[in-house]
């Protein structure tokens, strides 16, 4: 093991957790030391065994009973469970990267606030739609005066939305809207999610609308180009498909996300973008620990 690698546990053995496992296993900064779920016969558990990563079907109790197993926990369960898990993990001093819209930790969108977010012990990765749209919303907020309203519409393949995603839809919308308003400075915001059952499956596509009276399109285009490049450094499949334009009193920007195809199909860009963002956050924690600075708050 690289001396500076951070020991990470993954809580949740579904699609998101298993894809995180593959990405963490490949990382130069992270070492998966425990993969936790509830069913030892699940495909995710089989993948962990194939990679030589210890597994457990004892859920959060596996970490509570062996706290030295990890320094950081990815919580890829549900919003309800993540809130309960934090009550147990906080006293243990574990850094938590929350993959659910639990609204507990500091909101983190790496292209926008990675350095600030990792000063906190619990980091929330917002939502897949938030990871795709918040950087665009932030660029709009940085370049436009008096953003009256901002709206994001994300379309994802129905097959890429698992049981936890469907169970958390209300929290998904609330957390995405909160992040949009916070990072854009808009007076109000709205998030819409469309589950598209088309066959073949569609790629994730996200459109951001912003109501602005006096647009600064030259400034916005430069800011969009800069932040898209930043996102592509950790999400290679992120692509601007409609350049910023202004019509009917609103700015419109559209992006598409294709996944890396590590464990999930490439059409599941919605899952890939939040996982890539989470790995970027975890690696930032690892590098901070390897090169000491002010600790997390």
């Amino acid at each position: 093991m690289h001396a500076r690698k951070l020991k990470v546990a993954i809580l949740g053995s579904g699609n998101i957790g298993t894809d995180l496992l593959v990405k963490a296993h490949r990382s130069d900064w992270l070492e998966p030391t425990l993969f936790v779920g509830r069913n030892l016969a699940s495909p995710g558990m089989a993948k962990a065994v194939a990679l030589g990563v210890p597994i457990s079907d004892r859920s959060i109790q596996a970490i509570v009973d062996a706290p030295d197993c990890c320094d950081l926990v990815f919580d890829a369960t549900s919003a309800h469970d993540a809130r309960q898990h934090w009550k147990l993990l906080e006293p243990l001093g574990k850094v938590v990267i929350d993959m659910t819209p639990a609204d507990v930790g500091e909101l983190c969108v790496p292209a926008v606030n990675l350095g600030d977010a990792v000063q906190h012990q619990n980091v929330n990765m917002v939502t897949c739609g938030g990871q795709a749209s918040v950087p665009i919303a932030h660029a709009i907020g940085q370049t436009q005066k008096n953003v009256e309203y901002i709206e994001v519409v994300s379309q994802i393949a129905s097959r890429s939305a698992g049981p936890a995603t469907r169970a958390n839809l209300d929290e998904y919308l609330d957390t995405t809207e909160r992040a949009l308003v916070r990072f854009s400075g808009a007076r109000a915001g709205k998030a819409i999610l469309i589950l598209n059952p088309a066959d073949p499956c569609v790629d994730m596509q996200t459109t951001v609308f912003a109501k602005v009276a006096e647009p600064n399109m030259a400034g916005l285009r430069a800011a969009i180009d800069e932040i898209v490049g930043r996102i592509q450094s950790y999400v290679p499949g992120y692509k601007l498909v409609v350049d910023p334009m202004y019509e009917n009193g609103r700015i419109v920007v559209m992006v598409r996300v294709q996944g890396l195809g590590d464990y999930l199909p490439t059409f599941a860009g919605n899952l890939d973008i939040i996982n890539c963002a989470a790995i970027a956050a975890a690696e930032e924690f690892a590098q901070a620990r390897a090169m000491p600075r002010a600790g997390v708050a």
Side-chain angles (χ1 to χ4, degrees):
M1 184 186 85
H2 193 295
R4 294 182 294 178
K5 280 196 173 184
L6 192 69
K7 295 188 296 182
V8 302
I10 297 168
L11 192 53
S13 58
N15 284 338
I16 287 179
T18 307
D19 186 68
L20 272 173
L21 172 69
V22 174
K23 287 174 166 57
H25 189 266
R26 184 175 64 222
S27 171
D28 291 334
W29 290 95
L30 309 175
E31 182 194 19
T33 52
L34 185 63
F35 189 68
V36 185
R38 293 175 178 157
N39 179 7
L40 292 176
S42 71
M45 292 292 193
K47 184 66 175 179
V49 170
L51 293 175
V53 177
I55 62 174
S56 173
D57 63 352
R58 299 178 60 238
S59 191
I60 187 67
Q61 200 60 39
I63 299 172
V64 172
D65 289 347
D68 291 340
C69 71
C70 64
D71 304 301
L72 180 150
V73 177
F74 291 102
D75 195 325
T77 57
S78 70
H80 174 269
D81 288 343
R83 294 186 191 104
Q84 304 309 310
H85 296 160
W86 174 236
K87 294 176 184 177
L88 299 172
L89 294 170
E90 182 181 19
L92 296 176
K94 301 304 176 193
V95 170
V96 173
I97 294 183
D98 187 356
M99 310 300 299
T100 81
D103 195 17
V104 174
E106 175 70 10
L107 297 176
C108 177
V109 179
V112 176
N113 72 327
L114 181 59
D116 291 337
V118 298
Q119 300 301 313
H120 298 259
Q121 189 181 338
N122 187 312
V123 169
N124 183 274
M125 301 313 299
V126 194
T127 59
C128 60
Q131 290 296 333
S133 63
V134 165
I136 303 298
H138 179 69
I140 292 171
Q142 292 290 298
T143 58
Q144 311 301 311
K145 294 180 180 179
N146 301 320
V147 180
E148 184 176 335
Y149 172 76
I150 197 153
E151 180 176 295
V152 55
V153 181
S154 287
Q155 171 188 249
I156 65 173
S158 185
R159 277 178 53 196
S160 72
T165 298
R166 293 169 188 267
N168 291 337
L169 280 179
D170 286 345
E171 291 91 343
Y172 171 100
L173 297 174
D174 289 345
T175 302
T176 305
E177 288 169 5
R178 186 164 69 88
L180 280 171
V181 170
R182 173 180 166 183
F183 290 109
S184 71
R187 296 177 206 164
K190 184 174 184 180
I192 297 170
L193 179 64
I194 299 169
L195 305 184
N196 190 328
D199 187 11
C201 294
V202 297
D203 291 331
M204 180 190 195
Q205 192 161 283
T206 294
T207 307
V208 179
F209 304 91
K211 189 174 181 182
V212 177
E214 299 178 5
N216 171 10
M217 298 308 292
L220 178 59
R221 287 189 182 95
I224 292 285
D225 287 345
E226 194 275 334
I227 208 154
V228 166
R230 233 186 285 172
I231 298 166
Q232 289 173 341
S233 70
Y234 61 94
V235 188
Y238 188 92
K239 184 179 180 182
L240 183 68
V241 292
V242 174
D243 288 331
M245 59 182 177
Y246 187 73
E247 59 178 15
N248 300 322
R250 63 182 188 174
I251 291 169
V252 183
V253 186
M254 185 183 296
V255 299
R256 182 176 299 146
V257 187
Q258 284 191 322
L260 292 170
D262 288 328
Y263 178 75
L264 303 167
T266 56
F267 66 74
N270 53 307
L271 304 182
D272 204 74
I273 190 171
I274 195 168
N275 279 3
C276 287
I279 292 294
E283 290 181 337
E284 184 75 6
F285 275 114
Q287 291 175 58
R289 184 162 296 197
M291 296 171 283
R293 64 184 184 191
V296 295

